[in-house]
Amino acid sequence: MQIVLLGAAAGGGFPQWNCWCPPCRVARQDPARARHRSQSSVAVSADGQRWFLLNASPDVHGQLARLQAAPPGNATRHVPVEGIVLTDAELDHTLGVVLLREARALQLWATDAVRRVLESDSRILPVTRAFAEVRVHELALEHEARLGYRDGCPSGLAVLGFPVPAGPPRFAGEDRPGHTVGLLIRDEATGGTCAFVPGCGGLGDRLLERLGRADLVLFDGTFWTDDELIGLGISDRTARQMDHLPVSGPDGSLARLARLPSRDRVYTHINNTNPMLVEDSPERAAVERAGLRVGLDGMRFTL
Ligand code: MLT
Ligand code: MN
Ligand code: ZN
């Protein structure tokens, strides 16, 4: 299985258009010290030609240019995306669905709770269906589903969604189980497994143990500290109140993830305010000392 980190930033991207926080300033003034990143999404493929997206970001068009996407033969149109697996219905993870409407046929894998929000609250599904056929496959919690290509053939990849601690999107009409999940993608041929958890409010022992069984862990690196946005005067909510476990501190994700035996552990969905985005920062050094990496657009893995 090939995995491409298409976008490693949280909603808003890095630098964020309206932000002059310290990392955004470095990114504009000295981009080599704080590399630009697009909004969170991952692509997975068993054959390097046909891809499944894990979340579809508002930056999806630019991101798809990273995939080898030339048409077979001399076809005029070519859609390299066979389907999209969603972790939740947040805008930064789903606006890309409507931006792929020219595909004519799309497949989505989503929990029933996520599908309902897309249907009735953000209305991304009805709007997209006005342009394209959208087949939605239910992602039942804790059940592995096989990812099939649009022609019905199996891809050799399977996905399992598991609940993670988080609240529903703020525009959701209901709070139903399964509104936010983590994903385990498994290559049935190689047995390689990737965990993708871009939004997670806590890391209990059971979840940690589950992540430890994955070869590659792509985990929520949104905030460095719990009071990051409060300290900058741009929000009155803590990271935990926004359902993002901070990276640092004795109960933060870094101390927990440092213990895992996984081959690769990489932070993604990184908010533009997070100081670990700056290459020569002490925060970056602390992440790397613990054996983790700070995600960057274009990182590739083979499992
Ligand atoms: C989040 O990651 O918490 C959400 O994407 C928030 C947002 O959309 O602003
Ligand atoms: Mn987000
Ligand atoms: Zn910023």
Side-chain angles (χ1 to χ4, degrees):
M1 159 166 62
Q2 295 184 38
I3 298 165
V4 182
L5 188 53
L6 294 177
F14 181 58
Q16 180 169 308
W17 64 279
N18 62 342
C19 193
W20 272 261
C21 73
C24 282
R25 282 177 191 270
V26 179
R28 288 197 184 88
Q29 286 159 11
D30 193 357
R33 285 183 56 223
R35 312 266 301 270
H36 292 201
R37 287 162 170 84
S38 63
Q39 296 171 85
S40 178
S41 182
V42 168
V44 299
S45 173
D47 66 2
Q49 301 289 325
R50 292 171 286 183
W51 297 87
F52 294 88
L53 300 184
L54 312 183
N55 292 337
S57 94
D59 300 319
V60 67
H61 292 165
Q63 292 173 338
L64 290 182
R66 289 192 184 274
L67 308 179
Q68 284 148 19
N74 56 4
T76 308
R77 293 275 164 91
H78 175 59
V79 177
V81 178
E82 292 289 332
I84 304 160
V85 188
L86 297 175
T87 60
D88 53 62
E90 295 285 359
L91 294 176
D92 53 343
H93 296 162
T94 56
L95 284 173
V97 173
V98 74
L99 298 179
L100 293 176
R101 66 194 181 282
E102 295 92 350
R104 288 171 180 257
L106 289 168
Q107 299 192 94
L108 288 189
W109 278 263
T111 64
D112 186 56
V114 169
R115 184 190 57 76
R116 284 166 180 265
V117 177
L118 299 180
E119 204 70 78
S120 313
D121 297 314
S122 67
R123 292 193 43 84
I124 280 171
L125 269 175
V127 171
T128 309
R129 277 204 210 97
F131 302 89
E133 183 206 332
V134 187
R135 239 180 304 152
V136 184
H137 305 271
E138 185 178 347
L139 198 60
L141 294 174
E142 305 289 359
H143 279 273
E144 196 176 60
R146 301 179 86 190
L147 295 174
Y149 294 129
R150 287 174 300 168
D151 63 8
C153 293
S155 68
L157 301 180
V159 62
L160 180 141
F162 54 92
V164 293
R170 60 172 93 179
F171 50 85
E174 299 172 307
D175 183 352
R176 288 177 163 267
H179 56 70
T180 308
V181 297
L183 301 175
L184 281 174
I185 311 288
R186 187 172 64 88
D187 184 323
E188 292 170 347
T190 67
T193 306
C194 166
F196 179 55
V197 188
C200 188
L203 197 41
D205 289 342
R206 233 187 112 219
L207 178 51
L208 193 68
E209 197 260 333
R210 191 200 287 267
L211 298 180
R213 279 181 271 142
D215 303 291
L216 166 64
V217 178
L218 300 169
F219 193 81
D220 182 345
T222 311
F223 297 114
W224 183 257
T225 52
D226 202 33
D227 62 356
E228 187 163 313
L229 297 186
I230 297 172
L232 290 163
I234 53 185
S235 173
D236 54 8
R237 298 166 79 209
T238 64
R240 284 187 172 83
Q241 283 167 346
M242 297 173 74
D243 304 310
H244 294 294
L245 179 68
V247 172
S248 70
D251 306 320
S253 60
L254 187 61
R256 308 274 288 155
L257 296 172
R259 295 189 225 144
L260 293 186
S262 307
R263 197 177 87 192
D264 277 301
R265 291 152 294 163
V266 178
Y267 279 118
T268 192
H269 191 281
I270 306 160
N271 199 56
N272 60 82
T273 51
N274 191 326
M276 73 182 184
L277 287 167
V278 178
E279 306 278 331
D280 52 2
S281 64
E283 292 84 0
R284 169 66 64 87
V287 170
E288 293 180 349
R289 249 193 335 267
L292 278 81
R293 284 195 276 167
V294 173
L296 181 64
D297 294 15
M299 277 183 173
R300 284 170 182 263
F301 307 88
T302 305
L303 301 180

